[in-house]
Structures are given as structure tokens and as C-alpha cells.
Amino acid sequence: MDTPYHHLHAPPYYPPLLPEEQPSDAGTPASHRKPFKGFAAILASAIFLLSLVALIINQTQKPLPSQNNIVPTSKPTSFSNPEPRGVAEGVSAKSNSHLLRNIKGSYNWTNAMFTWQRTSFHFQPEKNWMNDPNGPLFYKGWYHLFYQYNPDSAVWGNITWGHAVSADLIHWLYLPIAMVPDQWYDINGVWTGSATILPDGQIVMLYTGSTDKSVQVQNLAYPADPSDPLLLDWVKYPGNPVLVPPRHIGPKDFRDPTTAWAGPDGKWRLTIGSKIGKTGISLVYQTTDFKTYELLDEYLHAVPGTGMWECVDFYPVAINGSVGLDTSATGPGIKHVLKASLDDTKVDHYAIGTYNPANDKWTPDNPEEDVGIGLKWDYGRYYASKSFYDPYKKRRIVWGWINETDTESDDLEKGWASVQTIPRTVLYDNKTGSNVVQWPVEEIESLRQNSTVFEEVVVEPGSVVPLDIGVATQLDISAEFETELLGSGAMEEGYGCSGGAIDRSAMGPFGLLVNAHDSLSELTPIFFRSSNTTKGTNTYFCADETRFVCFESELIPFDCPFEVSNRICKCLI
């Protein structure tokens, strides 16, 4: 095993701009100025029992905002109500209520512990709750990220659009809130949306609003001053809503419009996620002005048994290219990616297929790996992803929301919840022809300072090998594993990530232990596992969350699946 560890320095976060006065443009003002590198090469059919490398990663994070700035909130409703936050309002679950059912109290966290947990280079607001990325775009030299944000608390609710900009996707400048729920058509939430940049440079932003009757509708907004590169002020179209649920669609099953793409007839198309019974569907609308729309009779696509589709994403990828494509690109040598966030499973699934612009239908290349039943976008905690085309560097970039596993009471105590992933580039994998390739944006390289390299480390079956990496606040780990055949036993069928790192097979798991205590009483396995299937060998890249918060407490009445020093650890998860 060869493993270099790159020490990273935390990028500074710029302070927020001071609020400015609201413009007097026509329309409704959209906001009030209130305030590793990982790589595994398996060179032969191999047989390894659990082989893990223990690392202690101490992360020193940005200072927390003053707790005095957090609006006091009463005991979370999820302590008394088993239904996750957000479900009754018509969106996917926004709390980890399943973690609370057997817990009568919270771990005794300290401010120092909270500071240690806070990330330094994944994007997150200065405080409070965040979920889906919204309307990302590149405009006049700035990358813009909007996001679902609660300005009042560290739990989901009162959803507005937070806003930040960056020149390099790494260092972020916090801006004033872009849009707030202040009209009847979005009074219960300014929910997820997407940006479309027209050929003349105009920006149109479509987003879902939850009305005063909790009906999901689509609304139009646009910059108050297109000459402003920071896009500080937004105006809501006076004729909102521009779309309401069709008759055959439930009032809470109509959300998250995509970036629009232009067809050969000059009309713009966009798709919106929904469901019919248990069939996940993607509705298609055509428009010429983004104010009036025609619903097409046929769906872009539908997959039975997948349930509600949220945060649908649809875009082209070049078969033999090394660059991204504008969302409207079509023609020979192009495939289309269709992604849906499944409300039932809280997982982002995608498939690659062929789009027919003549009838606005998309067909998967492999029906057995259709949306929702095949490829996952990410196998960790990852949801509601959204991509955009970066014309500056000719690449497609995708963001995803990481919903952390903390309880609501802990989120309220620390004053923040959730992070965004490191932005990733997306390309078609022309080696396999069946999936995309994701990679952190090149700008992340600027965070590296120095490295420690270990070569030809032998990891015996069932062993844990500690590596001395010195002191570091952040690490970027590149690991290459080479396995060899031991014995003649066949690999078991059906192993994946579900069994965790403790579930051993003839092929492992093997990988890394991160956030590990000296005694291994607390650790997070990041590991690989190969399994044999009727179609060949699959290799899974997994993270085992069941072992990363471990302490002795009678408040938690279930046991960890591993022993340390002849005792059973009590685990939060």
C-alpha cells in the first residue's frame, strides 16, 4: 500500500457584506435586508480479511460564531413527534428523528468539541441550518452558490435562499440573503430552484414556493441589477406563480425545477420531479419566455417503484471529450445524464441514456440500471445534488448536500447544521461507457502544503497498522492498495457496504481508519470491499458510520457491533 498524506491549510472565509437598501425596481423585492483523492487498484482476485490503517486526524476548524447570535429555540419537536421535520410540509425529511427514539439525553458536548467538528474548507454558512444547493452559476467572474437556509435557527424551517460567491470555489464571501418567504406563493418556504442563463446573458431563476395553502408552485425571479457581478438583489416576477401542479399531480408532489435547455425549435424545456402513485416521474414543460408554459403529454422519463423524485438534474456529457457541455448541447457523440433524489430512500440515483429532442423523451442505455434502481451518485451521506455548466473553464460542476448525523438538540447547541460537498467535476467515463467520473475541482490543489509518503506498507489480514503522520489540521489522503490471491476460496456473492466494516468476507474489507482514538474506541472506517456477482466483480467504496461516536452511556440501549478491551461500547449511531 502506498499512501501520501497532504497537509491542508484552511482557506479564510470572508466576512459578510453589510446589508444594503432595497432597490425600487418593478416587481416584488426578493429579499429583505434584515438582518482520497481516493484511488484503489485491485490487481488480481484477492483474499484479504479486515485490513485497516488507523489514523488520528485532529481537525482544527474555524472559530464558531458567538452563541449569542443564535436565536433560542425550544425543545425540538422531533423529541415528541417521531415524524421527521419537513415531511408534513411536503419535502423530504430534514431531521434525524430515527436517532432520537432510543435516546433520553444528549452527549455532554463542549464548545471545544463543536469547534473541532466545524469544517474548514467544505462550504457552510456562518451559523444555522442549511440544506439543498440552489441555482449555482458563474457570472461576471464570480461563482455563485445559493442554498436552502434558515436564518433563525439550526433546524429546518423558515427556508430562505442564502447566497455566497467565490472566485475559486474554495474561498467564499458571504452575501446578504437573496430571497425570503414573503409572498402568498412562497410564504411557507422559498424552496429549491435552478438558474438558466439565456444567450443574451440574462439570468432567469425558477424556484419552488410553498403557498399559504402548502401547495407547491413554481416561481420566477431575476436580478434587480444585471450589471452587478455579485447579484445582490433579486426581484420576484409580479405574475407568480408561473406553474401550478397539474390536475393529476398531488399539491405536495411538484417541486425543484431544473436548469432549462433549448430545443431545435427554439423553445426552452425544463423538467420538474413528481410521482404518480409509487412511480417516480419527470414532467417536461416548454416555454419561450419563462412566464407561460406548455406541459407535454409524455414524461421525460418514469420508473415504477421509485417514489417521489426530488431535485431532478438533466444535462449532456461528451462521450469522447474531456470538457463539460452547456446544458443545451445535443447531437452525435453526446449522452445525457438523468439524476433524481429519491424521497423514499434519501439517495441520489442517476443513469446515462439517450435524449430525443424531437419528442423530449430520454431512454436509459441499460434499463436494468435505470434511475433509482441502479447507479448511486454517492454512497455516503449525500443528497439533493445540483450541477451547472462553468463556461469559464468549460466544465460541469456538481454540488451535493451532506446531512450530518447529529441530533437536533446538538445542532441547536452548536448553532449550525449541514455542509456542502467539495464541488466536483463530472465527465463521461469512456472506459466503461456506463457511468460518470467525478473528481474534486482542480482548485482544491491550492490547499495542499506538504506531504508525508508511506510506501510498501504490508497490511496482514485482520491487522491494524498505525502510521505516524505528525500534526495536521486537515488531510488529503491518496491511497493505492495492491492485493494478492491467498488460497483458492471463491469470493462471496452479494457483499456491499450494508454490512459495515465489521462484516467480513473473503475480499475484505480493507482501507483506512480516520478520526480514530488511540484505543480504537472511536473511529470511522473508510474502506473498500469487492464482491463477486453473476456479471463479474464489483468493488464498493464505503464509510461505516456506526462506529464513529462511541462512549459508555446507559442512555443508549443498543450495542456497538465490536468489542474494545473486553467491553462492549455503547454507540450513538
Side-chain angles (χ1 to χ4, degrees):
M1 180 190 72
D2 298 338
T3 310
Y5 299 87
H6 301 281
H7 292 209
L8 307 180
H9 67 87
Y13 276 66
Y14 301 107
L17 295 182
L18 294 176
E20 296 183 6
E21 294 184 357
Q22 195 63 243
S24 58
D25 299 71
T28 305
S31 61
H32 296 309
R33 293 297 169 235
K34 301 175 184 176
F36 266 51
K37 171 184 171 187
F39 174 72
I42 298 180
L43 303 179
S45 296
I47 194 167
F48 250 140
L49 295 175
L50 182 64
S51 304
L52 297 173
V53 179
L55 299 176
I56 304 173
I57 298 181
N58 295 318
Q59 297 180 336
T60 1
Q61 310 293 352
K62 304 187 300 291
L64 284 175
S66 169
Q67 294 298 316
N68 294 330
N69 294 330
I70 306 301
V71 176
T73 304
S74 60
K75 185 178 180 181
T77 57
S78 55
F79 275 115
S80 56
N81 180 6
E83 184 176 65
R85 193 179 295 272
V87 172
E89 290 82 357
V91 293
S92 62
K94 299 298 187 295
S95 64
N96 297 312
S97 62
H98 65 284
L99 301 178
L100 306 177
R101 292 170 185 163
N102 297 317
I103 299 176
K104 300 177 183 178
S106 174
Y107 184 67
N108 187 26
W109 298 105
T110 66
N111 284 336
M113 291 177 180
F114 289 144
T115 302
W116 174 86
Q117 290 184 46
R118 188 170 170 88
T119 181
S120 289
F121 55 91
H122 289 70
F123 177 82
Q124 64 183 137
E126 294 176 292
K127 62 180 181 179
N128 295 339
W129 170 271
M130 174 184 66
N131 53 287
D132 306 3
N134 295 155
L137 73 154
F138 181 80
Y139 189 71
K140 294 185 182 296
W142 292 96
Y143 292 100
H144 291 257
L145 176 65
F146 303 88
Y147 49 92
Q148 300 281 275
Y149 179 59
N150 182 353
D152 297 330
S153 178
V155 298
W156 183 86
N158 185 32
I159 294 301
T160 69
W161 271 33
H163 186 195
V165 293
S166 172
D168 61 5
L169 293 168
I170 301 298
H171 306 82
W172 291 91
L173 173 66
Y174 297 110
L175 299 180
I177 290 172
M179 290 192 286
V180 299
D182 58 0
Q183 302 298 311
W184 70 268
Y185 51 77
D186 63 10
I187 196 64
N188 281 315
V190 181
W191 290 351
T192 295
S194 301
T196 301
I197 300 180
L198 306 184
D200 62 0
Q202 291 186 67
I203 300 173
V204 293
M205 194 74 77
L206 291 171
Y207 71 93
T208 298
S210 181
T211 74
D212 53 356
K213 303 296 183 183
S214 295
V215 176
Q216 294 172 8
V217 298
Q218 313 311 317
N219 304 305
L220 170 64
Y222 44 86
D225 180 8
S227 67
D228 175 16
L230 296 181
L231 300 174
L232 290 175
D233 298 297
W234 290 80
V235 173
K236 297 175 183 177
Y237 172 55
N240 281 336
V242 294
L243 283 171
V244 298
R247 292 182 180 179
H248 64 294
I249 298 297
K252 294 184 178 180
D253 301 328
F254 183 65
R255 55 186 178 268
D256 310 334
T258 64
T259 296
W261 67 95
D265 56 2
K267 294 181 180 179
W268 291 90
R269 280 91 164 148
L270 61 93
T271 184
I272 297 173
S274 188
K275 67 176 181 177
I276 301 291
K278 286 295 184 178
T279 298
I281 65 173
S282 189
L283 303 164
V284 181
Y285 287 88
Q286 291 184 356
T287 183
T288 57
D289 59 5
F290 291 89
K291 298 174 182 178
T292 58
Y293 296 82
E294 176 188 358
L295 173 64
L296 302 190
D297 293 333
E298 299 292 331
Y299 305 135
L300 178 69
H301 194 55
V303 181
T306 56
M308 177 68 194
W309 284 11
E310 297 187 297
C311 303
V312 172
D313 207 358
F314 184 65
Y315 54 86
V317 287
I319 293 177
N320 296 314
S322 59
V323 298
L325 298 176
D326 179 82
T327 309
S328 296
T330 57
I334 290 178
K335 292 286 187 178
H336 275 75
V337 174
L338 178 60
K339 184 235 79 176
S341 301
L342 270 58
D343 190 12
D344 288 354
T345 62
K346 308 302 180 289
V347 173
D348 276 21
H349 282 267
Y350 78 99
I352 295 175
T354 301
Y355 167 63
N356 185 347
N359 60 7
D360 291 303
K361 296 281 289 183
W362 177 88
T363 305
D365 287 349
N366 182 0
E368 294 184 4
E369 292 191 344
D370 207 341
V371 179
I373 60 175
L375 297 171
K376 297 179 181 180
W377 194 263
D378 191 292
Y379 287 78
R381 299 191 69 85
Y382 183 94
Y383 196 65
S385 60
K386 184 169 293 294
S387 74
F388 74 102
Y389 175 64
D390 173 12
Y392 178 57
K393 292 194 173 182
K394 294 181 171 53
R395 57 185 176 176
R396 181 159 292 274
I397 297 173
V398 64
W399 291 90
W401 166 46
I402 301 175
N403 175 20
E404 299 169 297
T405 55
D406 293 333
T407 63
E408 285 193 344
S409 60
D410 286 338
D411 286 340
L412 288 168
E413 188 171 351
K414 69 187 182 184
W416 54 270
S418 300
V419 298
Q420 300 292 338
T421 59
I422 295 288
R424 310 170 185 176
T425 58
V426 181
L427 291 172
Y428 179 80
D429 188 347
N430 51 29
K431 293 182 179 179
T432 65
S434 61
N435 57 274
V436 299
V437 176
Q438 306 174 59
W439 201 257
V441 293
E442 62 184 10
E443 288 87 345
I444 203 74
E445 303 285 343
S446 67
L447 297 177
R448 292 195 173 102
Q449 288 187 318
N450 53 63
S451 63
T452 304
V453 179
F454 300 90
E455 295 181 340
E456 298 182 1
V457 177
V458 178
V459 185
E460 300 291 343
S463 66
V464 175
V465 179
L467 299 177
D468 184 5
I469 59 173
V471 178
T473 57
Q474 304 285 334
L475 291 177
D476 181 26
I477 304 174
S478 306
E480 181 175 338
F481 295 90
E482 179 179 339
T483 61
E484 58 186 49
L485 184 63
L486 300 176
S488 57
M491 291 180 290
E492 293 91 343
E493 175 95 20
Y495 276 95
C497 294
S498 59
I502 198 65
D503 191 358
R504 300 184 180 185
S505 70
M507 274 300 292
F510 57 92
L512 306 170
L513 296 181
V514 300
N515 292 341
H517 190 271
D518 285 321
S519 66
L520 301 187
S521 60
E522 179 180 338
L523 48 85
T524 301
I526 307 294
F527 62 94
F528 297 93
R529 187 197 299 280
S530 291
S531 66
N532 193 35
T533 71
T534 56
K535 297 180 181 180
T537 301
N538 289 331
T539 300
Y540 297 87
F541 182 37
C542 313
D544 187 350
E545 296 179 349
T546 64
R547 305 171 65 175
F548 71 71
V549 178
C550 188
F551 52 90
E552 293 184 277
S553 171
E554 295 307 317
L555 296 174
I556 308 191
F558 50 93
D559 293 334
C560 246
F562 69 108
E563 293 190 13
V564 176
S565 302
N566 298 319
R567 65 179 174 82
I568 297 292
C569 280
K570 302 290 185 178
C571 281
L572 176 61
I573 298 177

